Amino acid sequence: MSAWPEDVASALERHEVVAITSGITDLREAEALLEERLPGRWQRIEWGMGSAVNRERFHDLQQASGFHMLPMFIGRDGVIGGLTELRGFLQTRADDGSGVPAPAPGDAPAPLLHVLGYAGLIPFLFFGVAAWFGSTQWQAFSLHALGVYGAVILSFLGAVHWGLFLLDRGHRVLGQPAPIWAVIPSVAAWVALLLPTVIGLTVLFLLFPLVLWVDRGSQRRFRLPSGYIRLRGYLTLGGTLSLLSGIFASLTA
């Protein structure tokens, strides 16, 4: 269609999908799909069929699109169709990652992420080395500080999935809604702190590569900067080596 009605054109400037309905259209299933896949990026426009103007506008859309039912879904590239076509449209976007607003592939993480990321290794490296020196009390403190810091970072990494879930309500991790996984690293890290030092540090040591492995798979559908997972790999390596140092230090203390 060469020109949308004014209300549709205006809505498409701000949203990716417009749902045309009448006053009696059942939009519940479509609304649930759109809120899951395009939260805040779609709009419903109701054309009461009691109005001759609205009937004429709907007739024009029918003629231009070849689609004759309500609800009718319109995207920026043209008429999508009805509920069945909408499902296919949303699935295609999910498959290619275009349903999630994110940096384009090939972008490198911002320099600030590198600075903050590597700065975050300082406590790991410091206490991983400090656990080998000084008095028995200082070594015990260093090992405790190393474990607590590891637990804090694991909680932070789990929370990443809260943010991704807010962007895309369809985001799942290991087949479950993302918020379920988001709390597992923090709870597991907390349990590790309650265990004897060497066992707790070993649990933390194993959790870091596990979290990275899960993130590599579950975040693949998001168009994240291409260097993000690589950066995470370097940071994970630094953290796990520091924890390994703490494990050996606790065994020899």
Side-chain angles (χ1 to χ4, degrees):
M1 190 171 180
S2 58
W4 299 116
E6 183 178 348
D7 53 351
V8 174
S10 177
L12 286 173
E13 290 178 358
R14 306 184 305 275
H15 301 89
E16 296 185 35
V17 173
V18 172
I20 306 288
T21 69
S22 69
I24 61 172
T25 302
D26 183 355
L27 197 66
R28 288 174 294 182
E29 184 176 352
E31 182 176 6
L33 282 171
L34 288 164
E35 282 299 320
E36 177 181 314
R37 301 295 180 87
L38 296 176
R41 289 179 282 154
W42 72 281
Q43 180 177 331
R44 174 177 181 167
I45 296 178
E46 184 177 310
W47 287 353
M49 291 298 116
S51 164
V53 173
N54 286 340
R55 290 197 301 271
E56 181 64 26
R57 292 198 295 177
F58 181 52
H59 177 73
D60 290 342
L61 276 178
Q62 288 178 313
Q63 296 300 312
S65 66
F67 188 78
H68 302 282
M69 302 293 292
L70 289 179
M72 179 188 295
F73 301 96
I74 300 173
R76 289 173 176 168
D77 295 330
V79 173
I80 297 168
L83 181 58
T84 300
E85 291 79 12
L86 177 67
R87 290 196 193 100
F89 172 80
L90 293 175
Q91 185 58 52
T92 299
R93 292 175 61 82
D95 290 342
D96 65 15
S98 60
V100 181
D107 290 349
L112 181 62
L113 296 185
H114 284 281
V115 172
L116 294 176
Y118 287 116
L121 284 179
I122 293 175
F124 271 127
L125 300 174
F126 178 80
F127 288 113
V129 173
W132 288 91
F133 302 99
S135 65
T136 302
Q137 291 83 1
W138 169 254
Q139 289 178 327
F141 170 78
S142 297
L143 291 171
H144 177 70
L146 179 64
V148 170
Y149 187 70
V152 169
I153 297 300
L154 281 168
S155 297
F156 170 79
L157 295 175
V160 168
H161 291 275
W162 281 104
L164 294 178
F165 182 75
L166 292 176
L167 280 177
D168 179 5
R169 300 304 172 86
H171 177 41
R172 301 175 73 83
V173 180
L174 301 178
Q176 300 299 316
I180 294 177
W181 166 259
V183 302
I184 290 178
S186 57
V187 173
W190 170 70
V191 171
L193 294 179
L194 303 179
L195 300 173
T197 300
V198 66
I199 298 176
L201 291 176
T202 301
V203 171
L204 295 174
F205 170 79
L206 295 174
L207 282 173
F208 273 94
L210 172 63
V211 168
L212 177 63
W213 176 77
V214 171
D215 285 357
R216 283 176 63 91
S218 63
Q219 296 179 22
R220 193 168 295 158
R221 67 186 298 267
F222 291 86
R223 293 184 297 167
L224 298 172
S226 60
Y228 170 72
I229 292 296
R230 187 184 310 112
L231 174 62
R232 282 282 309 278
Y234 293 146
L235 298 179
T236 297
L237 178 62
T240 53
L241 288 177
S242 299
L243 288 166
L244 186 62
S245 174
I247 291 169
F248 283 113
S250 65
L251 290 172
T252 59

